[in-house]
Amino acid sequence: MQTDDNTRHAEKMAKIKVARDKMMQDKQGEKGLIVVHTGKGKGKSSSGFGMILRCIAHEMPCAVVQFIKGGWDTGERRVLTTHFGDLCRFHVMGEGFTWETQDRERDIAAARAGWEKAKELIRDPDIRMVLLDEINIALRYDYLELDEVLAFLRDEKPPMTHVVLTGRNAKPELIELADLVTEMEQIKHPFRAGIKAQPGVEF
Amino acid sequence: MQTDDNTRHAEKMAKIKVARDKMMQDKQGEKGLIVVHTGKGKGKSSSGFGMILRCIAHEMPCAVVQFIKGGWDTGERRVLTTHFGDLCRFHVMGEGFTWETQDRERDIAAARAGWEKAKELIRDPDIRMVLLDEINIALRYDYLELDEVLAFLRDEKPPMTHVVLTGRNAKPELIELADLVTEMEQIKHPFRAGIKAQPGVEF
């Protein structure tokens, strides 16, 4: 019985392996991807930082522009700039969440300065991945012009550069342009049970 | 007109700030969370590694057990063990994806060894977060006993330790037990356009 189970398992897995190897063989293309992480769930920024960590592991120069800085300290910035400042450039452009500042002009100016920096980094032929953290918030509030961002990504992004754009409420036109889109859906969140934001989890 | 816009914006944001400050004030609890990243989309493991990066930033000792090792080299392990070996312990228990090995007995032995290591790390009072990467695959194939895993998390996990469990097809009973659950939904994937797995993105 145990042996039958094992034989069946081996046969099933062998079939999966053949199918998978064939699928992967067909995928030979390489290109710089436009990646979007959106949705209301957690993991949009942290998986962006996980990708930055992968780039660092491969010694691929990369960069982060944070469009909206949280009220809390951001641990990622500290650890990335302290240990990998030579591989990863880091720019914090936002002044805090929008409901903290209540100053639309200042938010717009910060978002536009962030976008100018982002264009400079994306154009830099040495940089292989640029994470535009929470840029979707700036696009949603019309702090940045969607058409300008889309046109730049489509026409001026170097072909092999990856650009990762995070934040909830990604614009449909951005999703349309992107190569890889993941929606993080919130199934359960501890805030609802009265648990506050904690280090390591939220920041 | 511009001034009216700005006034309206400031008023709206001030209201959001009052509501949000009140919401955050109610959240005073702290606890070690059971966190699940599941779904078919990308970002389950990379956001787990992003959380590990946050722990490292806060100098919180943490650990990773990888239940299923990919066929490709894992950059995260290299960079974490090279730079942060004192803060982050790393154990690769799997022998490769299940369809690569086609040997159920060996997969079961590797998964059980991984789980023994995981229990040891979770019990260690100095370790603040343990990432059980791709454990959901081992649970799905019944390489591990679900009831044993649930009972351990419920009864033996130290109250302040965070445990992050990743992998698609999370068991409903695990989702029920967890504090924070995110489903990564695949909206668009470049494999469909013939693009292969690329460094920095997939590994």
Side-chain angles (χ1 to χ4, degrees), chain A residues 8-181:
Chain A
R8 259 201 314 276
H9 179 84
E11 280 167 5
K12 191 175 148 196
M13 289 296 147
K15 271 186 206 161
I16 293 177
K17 180 167 162 57
V18 167
R20 197 181 156 83
D21 286 351
K22 185 176 177 323
M23 185 191 89
M24 296 313 284
Q25 202 171 34
D26 293 343
K27 323 272 173 245
Q28 294 300 331
E30 281 189 75
K31 79 181 264 208
L33 302 176
I34 299 172
V35 180
V36 174
H37 298 167
T38 192
K40 291 185 181 169
K42 279 189 57 62
K44 299 182 289 292
S45 292
S46 55
S47 63
F49 282 103
M51 292 170 82
I52 288 289
L53 188 67
R54 286 179 177 159
C55 286
I56 289 169
H58 294 291
E59 300 192 343
M60 293 161 59
C62 52
V64 179
V65 181
Q66 272 192 311
F67 279 83
I68 312 283
K69 192 177 88 173
W72 44 58
D73 181 46
T74 50
E76 295 93 343
R77 180 181 30 145
R78 199 168 56 237
V79 72
L80 291 176
T81 51
T82 307
H83 291 271
F84 309 110
D86 52 332
L87 269 175
C88 181
R89 294 170 64 183
F90 209 105
H91 298 272
V92 179
M93 304 309 298
E95 305 258 350
F97 283 113
T98 48
W99 49 84
E100 295 289 344
T101 61
Q102 302 165 36
D103 182 340
R104 191 163 186 266
E105 298 283 303
R106 203 178 77 173
D107 286 350
I108 290 174
R112 296 213 170 142
W115 175 238
E116 290 308 311
K117 178 55 78 176
K119 287 194 287 188
E120 182 193 317
L121 292 165
I122 294 168
R123 282 194 187 108
D124 183 334
D126 292 333
I127 294 180
R128 305 276 302 278
M129 179 182 283
V130 181
L131 169 60
L132 306 179
D133 192 42
E134 301 287 13
I135 191 174
N136 288 337
I137 309 281
L139 287 166
R140 184 197 181 188
Y141 284 111
D142 296 321
Y143 295 167
L144 298 178
E145 278 194 40
L146 178 63
D147 287 347
E148 195 203 323
V149 172
L150 295 176
F152 181 85
L153 292 174
R154 193 170 38 226
D155 304 329
E156 293 192 55
K157 181 183 82 61
M160 293 310 294
T161 302
H162 304 298
V163 178
V164 183
L165 305 96
T166 78
R168 54 173 73 187
N169 297 299
K171 296 273 187 179
E173 298 88 340
L174 176 63
I175 289 174
E176 180 60 34
L177 177 67
D179 303 289
L180 172 54
V181 180

Side-chain angles (χ1 to χ4, degrees), chain B residues 1-190:
Chain B
M1 177 63 192
Q2 186 64 21
T3 310
D4 281 1
D5 268 3
N6 289 344
T7 309
R8 258 203 313 279
H9 179 82
E11 281 166 5
K12 191 174 149 196
M13 289 297 146
K15 270 186 206 160
I16 293 176
K17 179 167 161 56
V18 168
R20 196 181 157 83
D21 287 350
K22 183 175 180 322
M23 186 190 89
M24 296 313 283
Q25 202 170 33
D26 294 341
K27 323 268 173 248
Q28 295 300 331
E30 280 188 77
K31 78 181 264 204
L33 302 176
I34 298 172
V35 181
V36 174
H37 298 165
T38 192
K40 292 185 180 170
K42 276 187 59 61
K44 299 182 288 292
S45 292
S46 55
S47 62
F49 282 103
M51 291 169 82
I52 288 288
L53 189 67
R54 286 178 178 161
C55 286
I56 289 169
H58 294 290
E59 301 193 341
M60 293 161 59
C62 52
V64 180
V65 180
Q66 273 191 311
F67 279 83
I68 311 284
K69 193 177 87 174
W72 43 58
D73 181 44
T74 50
E76 295 93 345
R77 181 180 29 146
R78 200 168 54 238
V79 73
L80 292 177
T81 50
T82 307
H83 291 270
F84 309 110
D86 51 332
L87 270 174
C88 182
R89 293 170 66 183
F90 208 105
H91 298 272
V92 180
M93 304 309 299
E95 304 259 349
F97 283 113
T98 47
W99 47 85
E100 295 289 344
T101 61
Q102 301 164 38
D103 181 342
R104 192 163 185 266
E105 298 282 303
R106 205 178 76 173
D107 285 351
I108 289 174
R112 297 212 169 143
W115 175 240
E116 290 306 312
K117 177 56 77 176
K119 286 194 288 186
E120 181 193 318
L121 293 164
I122 294 168
R123 282 195 189 109
D124 184 334
D126 292 334
I127 295 180
R128 305 277 301 278
M129 179 183 282
V130 181
L131 169 60
L132 305 180
D133 191 42
E134 301 288 12
I135 192 174
N136 288 337
I137 310 281
L139 287 166
R140 184 196 182 189
Y141 284 110
D142 296 320
Y143 294 168
L144 297 178
E145 277 194 42
L146 178 63
D147 287 345
E148 194 203 325
V149 173
L150 295 176
F152 182 85
L153 292 174
R154 193 170 38 225
D155 304 328
E156 293 193 53
K157 180 183 85 57
M160 293 310 294
T161 302
H162 304 298
V163 178
V164 183
L165 304 96
T166 78
R168 53 173 74 187
N169 297 299
K171 296 274 186 178
E173 297 88 341
L174 176 62
I175 290 175
E176 179 59 34
L177 177 65
D179 303 289
L180 172 53
V181 180
T182 310
E183 177 156 340
M184 278 65 174
E185 198 188 338
Q186 178 174 301
I187 308 287
K188 233 184 205 184
H189 199 293

